[in-house]
Amino acid sequence: MDIRLLRPSDIPLIQHANIENLPENYFLKYYLYHALSWPQLSYVAVDASRPKKSAYDYPKIVGYVLAKMEEEPADGVQHGHITSISVMRTHRKLGIAEKLMRQSQLAMVETFGAHYVSLHVRVSNQAAIHLYRETLGFQTEKTEQKYYADGEDAFCMKLELSAIREQIREAAARDEPAGEGIDAKKASEEVSDVDGKSGAKEEPAKKEVKVKVGRGLGVGELVERVASKN
Ligand code: ACO
């Protein structure tokens, strides 16, 4: 199984996977918007055992994570957001979703200096809630009433990414290229304790490179909640 960055050519395939696996579906342009605006953050899991018969043969995508940076964060804190993740039924419980999430989280910090990652999940979605809470350490911030088009509530969840930030800073201090020697799993496993407090040390006063991500792209009508109602 290969976990690699999403390519624009994968978009029809992940749209298909999304329709198969989830009731929240999106216009093609919404996927494109993610892939073009934050090409570092979305990943696919590809079945590498499937031989490519010709140059035109498409990859067998068995899972994806579609992620973005929040463009206008209400709290003013730079953070990422998981728009959608799913794994095909045939390939579930193999650790694919965990790997996709950890890769995206690492990229959010490395590329955009994200402080945390947020997401919404149906209150009835036991598998996903286990993945977020137990496996990855997300905390439930609040419940949003009737968030989904069918009236179901959503848990708004959040995971602090301070441990990954700390690892990247340490790697930079050792003069290693960004991301080298950083284990996505190890980094995000150390993220938060039960109280939601980060286990990381106080940030030393080091020079930080600020990356601007807020752009008025005029895509307000494409936001997740609206798209799910269409
Ligand atoms: N019930 C309980 N726990 C489960 C289940 C299940 N059905 N499936 C997986 N888990 C647990 C695993 O045991 C593992 O736990 P562990 O770390 O304690 O061992 C953990 O979740 C992670 O397992 P993975 O193998 O990485 O998860 P998987 O690749 O099977 O994908 C997913 C999980 C994405 C939730 C999958 O079931 C799926 O695609 N569901 C339908 C789509 C969906 O619900 N997506 C999330 C919507 S919310 C959003 O997109 C922001």
Side-chain angles (χ1 to χ4, degrees), residues 179-195:
E180 198 161 286
I182 294 172
D183 177 343
K185 179 168 166 66
K186 188 168 171 286
S188 46
E189 264 174 1
E190 292 166 5
V191 165
S192 59
D193 61 22
V194 186
D195 301 326

Side-chain angles (χ1 to χ4, degrees), residues 84-87 92-95 97-98 120 125 127 130 132 135:
S84 182
I85 179 169
S86 78
V87 173
R92 288 186 189 166
K93 293 202 175 180
L94 295 173
E98 180 188 351
H120 293 101
N125 192 341
H130 183 104
Y132 302 140
T135 308

Side-chain angles (χ1 to χ4, degrees), residues 92-160:
R92 288 186 189 166
K93 293 202 175 180
L94 295 173
I96 294 175
E98 180 188 351
K99 286 198 175 64
L100 289 165
M101 287 291 292
R102 290 193 194 280
Q103 278 304 130
S104 184
Q105 287 165 197
L106 178 59
M108 283 172 188
V109 180
E110 270 186 354
T111 315
F112 298 107
H115 287 255
Y116 67 87
V117 54
S118 64
L119 56 83
H120 293 101
V121 59
R122 286 177 179 267
V123 295
S124 65
N125 192 341
Q126 289 307 318
I129 291 169
H130 183 104
L131 166 71
Y132 302 140
R133 267 196 200 141
E134 316 305 328
T135 308
L136 297 168
F138 276 75
Q139 307 276 317
T140 302
E141 285 278 287
K142 60 177 178 177
T143 304
E144 211 161 306
Q145 307 289 329
K146 299 191 185 341
Y147 177 81
Y148 293 100
D150 61 6
E152 184 167 348
D153 299 346
F155 287 137
C156 304
M157 292 192 168
K158 180 174 165 178
L159 176 69
E160 294 293 335

Side-chain angles (χ1 to χ4, degrees), residues 41-110:
L41 303 187
S42 295
Y43 285 82
V44 290
V46 181
D47 183 350
S49 68
R50 182 177 181 273
K52 208 173 173 193
K53 292 183 198 118
S54 76
Y56 301 103
D57 199 9
Y58 53 85
K60 184 176 178 191
I61 289 183
V62 297
Y64 69 86
V65 60
L66 187 69
K68 62 176 190 162
M69 292 302 291
E70 207 58 74
E71 291 200 273
E72 290 167 5
D75 57 5
V77 180
Q78 190 84 285
H79 68 273
H81 184 78
I82 302 295
T83 298
S84 182
I85 179 169
S86 78
V87 173
M88 302 307 276
R89 280 177 199 282
T90 46
H91 287 72
R92 288 186 189 166
K93 293 202 175 180
L94 295 173
I96 294 175
E98 180 188 351
K99 286 198 175 64
L100 289 165
M101 287 291 292
R102 290 193 194 280
Q103 278 304 130
S104 184
Q105 287 165 197
L106 178 59
M108 283 172 188
V109 180
E110 270 186 354

